[in-house]
Amino acid sequence: MTTSNPNWGDPHTINADLHCHSTVSDGTLSPDQLAARAAANGVQMWSLTDHDEVGGLEKASEAARAHGLLFVPGVEVSVTWSGKTLHIVGLRVGFKNSPLSEGLGQVRSGRRERALEMSHQLAKVGIDGVFEGALKYVGNPDLISRTHFARHLVERGVCTDIGDVFQRFLTPGKPGYVPHSWASLSQAVTWIRDSGGVAVIAHPGRYDLNELQMDELIRQFIELGGQGIEVVTGSHTVDQYRTFARRSLKHGLKASRGSDFHGPEESRVNLGELPPLPDGCVPIWDNWENVL
Ligand code: AMP
Ligand code: MN
Ligand code: MN
Ligand code: MN
């Protein structure tokens, strides 16, 4: 496989990291710090994909340029599909006054109330003041996330680590979990496409879906114009790299690669430190001629 730019050679060998988070959502590093870290770790093509928010992309783009990185404006949209929460990554999105930036305003608007309700529920099981505590970790008042709650509960010593908080308090059926209605799959894919981007199913291995449901999700996603699926992500096991490589080929989806890095203390995978896409996958960036 070749690209239009001979400098890059085989697109499989490009160190692309197309999924991570800054303080503009639930990461612990600023967009500038992420760009510096990506460059130091040998990333060549980098995307910032904050949850439901494009407010960090301008800074990220400038910092990427300063560090000699190819920058891909991105986002990770929270979606409710078939009663479950899914994430759809948008890459190469137009983010200034775009259908996406408008749509995301609606998605963010319920977060504060949800957080207050989570705090209320936790108070009922004897853990007070969690909303105020979580706010100390919030970099963007429009984007209070479960991650900020988790950091606070670890700091307080209620739980030993973030995974423990999610398991005991912040997942369906647990005392601090408040169901929420995010964007529809159709809205997310349409906002991304109408803003010039490509839509990618984020970390499919994390969803509690059986084979039939996964096929149905992919079918609907493609029908809406979705084009990619994450194959190599910090959220997948090595087995899942293979499983989702096969699925990408079966459905004709392009493959994406991203660490889902949230911060040096918390992430399983560092920025840019991922294996290449498995042989046979078509990289999502394969035809991005003006980036490559
Ligand atoms: P929210 O958008 O507020 O529902 O928060 C979702 C975020 O919580 C995800 O993007 C992850 O960063 C984090 N998260 C979800 N589940 C877990 C888990 N089991 N362990 C650690 N972090 C998690
Ligand atoms: Mn997150
Ligand atoms: Mn996600
Ligand atoms: Mn993510």
Side-chain angles (χ1 to χ4, degrees):
M1 205 173 294
T2 55
T3 64
S4 56
N5 186 334
N7 295 331
W8 292 101
D10 180 343
H12 280 84
T13 66
I14 294 174
N15 190 342
D17 192 329
L18 303 180
H19 188 151
C20 72
H21 299 275
S22 76
T23 46
V24 173
S25 64
D26 61 349
T28 62
L29 301 183
S30 67
D32 299 26
Q33 290 171 318
L34 285 170
R37 190 179 184 96
N41 289 355
V43 173
Q44 293 161 291
M45 191 195 299
W46 174 57
S47 184
L48 176 65
T49 55
D50 275 312
H51 295 287
D52 307 323
E53 177 63 279
V54 289
L57 294 179
E58 187 79 57
K59 279 223 168 79
S61 165
E62 286 163 18
R65 197 173 320 122
H67 287 281
L69 299 167
L70 297 169
F71 183 64
V72 178
V75 69
E76 182 174 22
V77 185
S78 309
V79 162
T80 302
W81 181 79
S82 196
K84 294 174 197 289
T85 299
L86 310 177
H87 289 167
I88 300 294
V89 162
L91 298 173
R92 303 185 96 197
V93 292
F95 57 93
K96 290 177 197 157
N97 302 317
S98 65
L100 177 68
S101 60
E102 306 241 323
L104 292 179
Q106 300 164 32
V107 184
R108 285 194 299 273
S109 66
R111 276 189 179 265
R112 188 181 165 85
E113 266 178 50
R114 169 196 187 228
L116 286 165
E117 182 57 24
M118 283 165 64
S119 187
H120 183 64
Q121 298 291 330
L122 288 167
K124 282 204 219 160
V125 296
I127 313 168
D128 286 317
V130 179
F131 180 79
E132 293 73 18
L135 276 186
K136 277 201 296 178
Y137 292 90
V138 170
N140 171 2
D142 281 352
L143 213 294
I144 311 177
S145 126
R146 282 184 289 162
T147 312
H148 302 116
F149 277 63
R151 290 187 185 130
H152 169 66
L153 290 175
V154 172
E155 175 206 57
R156 257 168 81 163
V158 175
C159 296
T160 50
D161 59 48
I162 296 215
D164 185 35
V165 187
F166 274 89
Q167 213 179 355
R168 284 170 56 199
F169 294 108
L170 299 181
T171 38
K174 302 297 161 64
Y177 183 77
V178 174
H180 193 75
S181 218
W182 303 106
S184 67
L185 182 65
S186 161
Q187 283 175 318
V189 176
T190 307
W191 291 335
I192 291 166
R193 293 187 66 207
D194 288 353
S195 304
V198 291
V200 174
I201 298 174
H203 43 62
R206 276 219 338 231
Y207 308 134
D208 177 25
L209 300 175
N210 64 30
E211 289 278 300
L212 282 176
Q213 290 169 318
M214 182 63 76
D215 273 343
E216 180 57 17
L217 167 66
I218 294 174
R219 195 191 64 73
Q220 289 185 21
F221 176 73
I222 291 174
E223 196 172 286
L224 291 165
Q227 295 181 28
I229 189 163
E230 287 185 343
V231 170
V232 173
T233 131
S235 299
H236 282 175
T237 62
V238 173
D239 271 357
Q240 287 174 324
Y241 299 159
R242 284 191 285 270
T243 305
F244 288 101
R246 275 198 299 275
R247 270 188 188 274
S248 75
L249 292 168
K250 170 177 159 193
H251 294 281
L253 287 171
K254 293 188 173 179
S256 193
R257 176 181 191 264
S259 56
D260 207 356
F261 182 79
H262 281 71
E265 318 80 10
E266 290 173 15
S267 297
R268 264 194 291 167
V269 173
N270 200 349
L271 270 176
E273 293 185 1
L274 293 158
L277 291 172
D279 283 346
C281 288
V282 181
I284 189 81
W285 56 85
D286 191 46
N287 63 347
W288 291 355
E289 287 170 12
N290 53 349
V291 175
L292 299 173

